[in-house]
Amino acid sequence: MLFSALRRRGALAALSATVLAAAFAASAPVHAQDKSRIKVGISVGNAEQIFEVVKKVAARDGLTIDVVVFNDYQLPNAALSAGDLDANAFQHQPFLDNQIKSRGFDLVSAGLTVTAPLGFYSRKIKSIDALPDGASVGIQNDPSNGNRSLLLLQAAGLITLKPEAVKNNTATPLDVVTNPKKLKLVALDAAQLPRSLDDLTIASINNDYAEKSGLSFNKDAVIKESAKSPYANLIAVRRADKDAPWARKLVAAYQSAEVRQFIETKFNGALIPAF
């Protein structure tokens, strides 16, 4: 009789555990690893064309990609961190590092995409040799791209920066130590720079915004960053999702031979596969 009672108690305990586990499973969110459809944030311009090919490749591997296009570099990481996106593909590692430091995002790189050489553009001059003294020069106001633009101006021999700022990739206009042409550095939001070209002599414009504005890196840039730039763009995800099957499928789709061929054929050196 005692054995029967213990057996009934054990059965009831097991049943209760099963019910609780089922209830928890029903209320818990579907784990990211179970996803076959994801949202990926990208910036306007050439990324939209590239992801049309990425989507086709991913679909063959059972992954559906919904693309969300942003016009502002400050929004995609916030959306990813908040869970409104599963991944984004618009930034290089220095930009992501700065966002993590300043905004506390727990985001990581899942894989590399393209290197987009930075260029300075102008509606007033055709060659950097024609840059006049006192010219107004637009650069990005975010730390990573602003630093990148100043390094490009230094590489062109137009300014000299403090060695420590160059070493640490932290250059700002305050780190300019020589400026023989007395250039006026104007820091603006990256998206504003193409629209400000009429008011500036030259402006540093990221590749995606340049393409969207009808500017060609190969034809129109008066200063060009080397193709060996360390600023390779990447696919970012939340840290917990880095090894999820869908994340691996996304990276594999982007780094496929089909996407590589499209980039090399379509952009002719203005974008360079980083994988």
Side-chain angles (χ1 to χ4, degrees):
M1 189 170 180
L2 177 60
F3 175 77
S4 298
L6 289 173
R7 186 168 57 184
R8 284 197 299 271
R9 288 177 186 174
L12 287 171
L15 178 60
S16 297
T18 301
V19 171
L20 286 171
F24 176 79
S27 62
V30 176
H31 193 276
Q33 292 188 346
D34 297 329
K35 291 183 179 180
S36 60
R37 189 180 198 105
I38 61 170
K39 288 184 179 180
V40 179
I42 64 172
S43 57
V44 296
N46 45 52
E48 297 175 78
Q49 301 175 63
I50 295 171
F51 260 85
E52 286 303 312
V53 184
V54 175
K55 286 164 62 176
K56 293 176 182 177
V57 176
R60 295 200 293 264
D61 200 19
L63 181 67
T64 300
I65 299 175
D66 296 322
V67 168
V68 181
V69 180
F70 290 86
N71 290 288
D72 187 327
Y73 286 160
Q74 301 303 316
L75 298 178
N77 283 331
L80 176 57
S81 182
D84 297 322
L85 299 173
D86 299 294
N88 66 44
F90 78 102
Q91 64 194 321
H92 47 66
Q93 190 67 51
F95 185 90
L96 176 58
D97 290 343
N98 182 268
Q99 291 253 299
I100 291 170
K101 181 178 178 180
S102 62
R103 304 181 68 178
F105 298 138
D106 192 18
L107 308 177
V108 297
S109 170
L112 298 179
T113 56
V114 295
T115 299
L118 188 64
F120 275 85
Y121 299 82
S122 178
R123 299 198 192 284
K124 296 181 171 65
I125 62 173
K126 297 296 184 182
S127 167
I128 198 61
D129 295 334
L131 186 69
D133 289 352
S136 55
V137 178
I139 64 171
Q140 297 86 340
N141 63 4
D142 67 86
S144 60
N145 282 309
N147 167 76
R148 186 180 180 186
S149 295
L150 290 170
L151 292 177
L152 188 51
L153 289 174
Q154 177 169 267
L158 294 171
I159 62 172
T160 304
L161 297 163
K162 294 177 182 177
E164 184 178 353
V166 174
K167 179 181 178 181
N168 297 327
N169 282 313
T170 58
T172 73
L174 296 176
D175 295 305
V176 176
V177 291
T178 67
N179 183 2
K181 282 185 169 289
K182 295 181 170 53
L183 303 177
K184 299 173 183 175
L185 299 175
V186 182
L188 297 171
D189 183 82
Q192 295 289 338
L193 287 165
R195 298 193 286 269
S196 302
L197 267 183
D198 290 336
D199 301 316
L200 300 166
T201 311
I202 61 173
S204 171
I205 302 176
N206 293 83
N207 193 290
D208 45 4
Y209 290 134
E211 192 272 341
K212 193 68 174 179
S213 301
L215 298 168
S216 165
F217 176 80
N218 291 321
K219 296 178 181 178
D220 300 322
V222 295
I223 305 177
K224 298 178 181 178
E225 190 175 56
S226 168
K228 296 181 180 179
S229 161
Y231 292 91
N233 286 354
L234 54 86
I235 294 171
V237 297
R238 291 180 293 278
R239 185 179 302 276
D241 293 334
K242 182 178 181 181
D243 297 318
W246 63 262
R248 291 199 295 269
K249 288 181 180 180
L250 171 60
V251 172
Y254 199 109
Q255 296 182 350
S256 64
E258 190 171 339
V259 171
R260 174 185 287 275
Q261 183 179 12
F262 175 79
I263 293 169
E264 292 176 341
T265 303
K266 177 70 177 178
F267 300 107
N268 192 30
L271 288 180
I272 302 159
F275 49 89

